[in-house]
Amino acid sequence: MLPSPRHALLLGCLLLSLSLESCLQDHGRGDFASVSKQYEVEEIGRLDRQRVAESSGLEIASPEGDLWTHADGGNTARLYKVTRQGDLLQTLDLAPLQNIDWEDLAQDEERRLYLGDFGNNQNKRRNLCIYRLSGPTLQQVDTLHFHYADQHAFPPRKPRRNFDCEAFYYYQDSLYLFTKNRGEGHWLKQYVLPARPGHHTARLVDSLQLPTWVTSADISPDGKRVALLGYEQVYLFERLPGRRLFDGLKSRLDIPDSGQMEALVFVTNQDLIFSNEKGKLFLATYTP
């Protein structure tokens, strides 16, 4: 017996509701396997907080393994070159740039640095940008201005405030940004925009429920895995050709007692250095 049009409509609505619920629960994207036993984590250094205000982003500075870092919003517009042990080697003054809310660093194949001024705690900024630093002294500055394709209110209502950002990486002429959700749920959103100066729209390309705020991101030198830094955890994603990032195999490295983590960078295809808000530097070494 065929259902009446009314029953067919009700059945269709029920199926649609179940489908939406399944999407919101993020079924089918896979769980995070623990890899904590495959890594050794050790504290390797500490920044001098009198000379380096904070470490909000990290990037490779030299073949010897030195690092670039910078302070968070409201601090001076400077980059700091430090050793892995935290010793200050160089201070690069980027004035007249203003540190509205610098959050993370990325780097391209030409060793140009990208400095993300996209911290947006109140979700109301209309001047989000990324600085590209190039030249022998990194003082040639070009600016990438951008806005989010799906943000229409500044700020949105509180449940929809998912336009803060503290994490990004560069890959094949594009920049990939990850939001810090200050609204409802635990939705992490991934956006992409061209890695060239100009005015751009950040396009939403993926999303995932993650029970933490993401404060930094990086991609391995071989481009095969992405690391996202959360609270006392690093989330690792294996990239699959032609697939969305969050479709790949996922793993989790627990880093207990590390405090509020702020920045991370790959130093090999598996090993990572990360820093916390107190200036401590940690090395996670892969030991299969």
Side-chain angles (χ1 to χ4, degrees):
M1 179 178 179
L2 295 174
S4 69
R6 181 174 180 273
H7 286 161
L9 178 61
L10 290 174
L11 179 61
C13 290
L14 176 61
L15 292 174
L16 177 60
S17 175
L18 291 174
S19 175
L20 288 173
E21 182 180 359
S22 176
C23 291
L24 290 174
Q25 291 177 353
D26 204 39
H27 291 165
R29 305 302 295 274
D31 296 324
F32 287 88
S34 176
V35 292
S36 299
K37 293 183 179 180
Q38 300 172 37
Y39 277 87
E40 291 182 1
V41 179
E42 59 179 327
E43 182 179 337
I44 58 172
R46 192 164 191 164
L47 301 171
D48 182 350
R49 298 294 297 277
Q50 299 298 319
R51 304 177 70 187
V52 181
E54 191 181 10
S55 176
S56 186
L58 286 172
E59 192 49 82
I60 301 298
S62 71
E64 294 74 29
D66 300 322
L67 305 167
W68 287 114
T69 191
H70 62 83
D72 205 341
N75 288 287
T76 54
R78 293 175 179 171
L79 283 180
Y80 303 98
K81 190 180 193 179
V82 299
T83 68
R84 292 189 181 189
Q85 293 72 42
D87 300 318
L88 180 64
L89 299 174
Q90 178 187 353
T91 299
L92 180 60
D93 192 346
L94 294 175
L97 295 185
Q98 184 180 358
N99 185 348
I100 297 177
D101 202 349
W102 294 2
E103 291 293 357
D104 205 4
L105 284 169
Q107 189 171 105
D108 65 19
E109 304 92 342
E110 299 180 38
R111 312 298 290 179
R112 295 179 295 193
L113 288 180
Y114 295 81
L115 177 56
D117 191 351
F118 42 46
N120 191 17
N121 292 358
Q122 303 300 319
N123 281 231
K124 64 182 181 181
R125 284 186 62 182
R126 295 175 181 264
N127 58 348
L128 302 173
C129 67
I130 297 167
Y131 299 113
R132 189 179 71 183
L133 313 178
S134 57
T137 62
L138 294 175
Q139 290 184 307
Q140 177 181 328
V141 180
D142 296 295
T143 305
L144 293 71
H145 304 274
F146 75 93
H147 67 276
Y148 296 105
D150 54 337
Q151 183 172 8
H152 308 294
F154 300 84
R157 294 185 176 183
K158 288 184 178 180
R160 298 182 58 82
R161 292 185 182 179
N162 196 2
F163 300 101
D164 190 10
C165 178
E166 294 190 8
F168 77 140
Y169 66 82
Y170 169 94
Y171 183 67
Q172 292 186 344
D173 299 320
S174 294
L175 295 168
Y176 293 84
L177 284 65
F178 299 86
T179 60
K180 184 177 182 179
N181 190 356
R182 296 180 179 276
E184 288 184 350
H186 296 285
W187 286 102
L188 168 71
K189 296 194 293 183
Q190 181 195 31
Y191 291 85
V192 63
L193 69 152
R196 60 177 183 267
H199 292 263
H200 304 292
T201 298
R203 180 171 54 91
L204 179 63
V205 291
D206 206 355
S207 61
L208 180 75
Q209 284 191 302
L210 202 65
T212 186
W213 280 346
V214 170
T215 57
S216 188
D218 199 19
I219 189 169
S220 59
D222 63 6
K224 292 183 178 180
R225 61 193 53 82
V226 168
L228 302 182
L229 185 62
Y231 183 77
E232 296 191 344
Q233 290 177 326
V234 177
Y235 296 88
L236 299 166
F237 301 83
E238 300 296 317
R239 296 185 64 255
L240 300 176
R243 300 288 298 275
R244 295 181 297 173
L245 175 64
F246 299 145
D247 287 336
L249 295 175
K250 305 172 184 65
S251 55
R252 184 190 72 248
L253 169 61
D254 295 319
I255 41 176
D257 304 320
S258 56
Q260 176 59 50
M261 308 306 294
E262 293 292 338
L264 95 167
V265 62
F266 275 101
V267 293
T268 70
N269 289 324
Q270 299 278 5
D271 302 344
L272 298 139
I273 287 179
F274 41 89
S275 61
N276 69 11
E277 62 182 354
K278 295 183 178 179
K280 292 183 179 181
L281 294 165
F282 300 85
L283 173 64
T285 305
Y286 184 66
T287 56

